[in-house]
Amino acid sequence: LPELPTNLTDLDDGVLMELFAQYTSWQNFAAVEQANAEVTEARAEANQRYIEANAMVKGWGAKDKVTVAKAELAQDPEVEKARQGVLEAYARRKLTQVVYANCERSVFVISRELSRRIGNVGYERRSMRWNP
């Protein structure tokens, strides 16, 4: 992400618009990545549920109780790997959300400065009309 300058009011219009375009592009990119991360997380959760169910069915005996089956399930390496996959997908989604939110806030700040400048255009034009 480009650095958001603290002196937005000192930037000329061209530089400010370029910065606005860069942040908007980054926001678009982050939105796609966020959607991708959400899909990946949902797939990882579905995979985890499938592996857990499979492991439970494979290890189920006639005398087993649910608590025993769940305890054995928790120790299954394939189940643990699936759980780690879910945690990794969750972490990626959360980090992508942070990037998107940062871009959104930066776009908002730049947009406010652009709006302020647009609001001043009419005033400046009117005041220049009375000055020779």
Side-chain angles (χ1 to χ4, degrees), residues 13 116-131:
D13 293 346
R116 185 190 70 77
R117 290 181 185 192
I118 291 169
N120 285 340
V121 168
Y123 172 76
E124 290 170 357
R125 192 175 294 153
R126 284 191 305 271
S127 65
M128 292 179 82
R129 187 173 42 188
W130 300 106
N131 293 331

Side-chain angles (χ1 to χ4, degrees), residues 74-92:
Q75 295 176 349
D76 188 314
E78 199 172 331
V79 170
E80 181 56 30
K81 183 179 175 185
R83 286 183 180 152
Q84 288 302 314
V86 170
L87 288 174
E88 289 171 13
Y90 171 79
R92 183 173 182 273

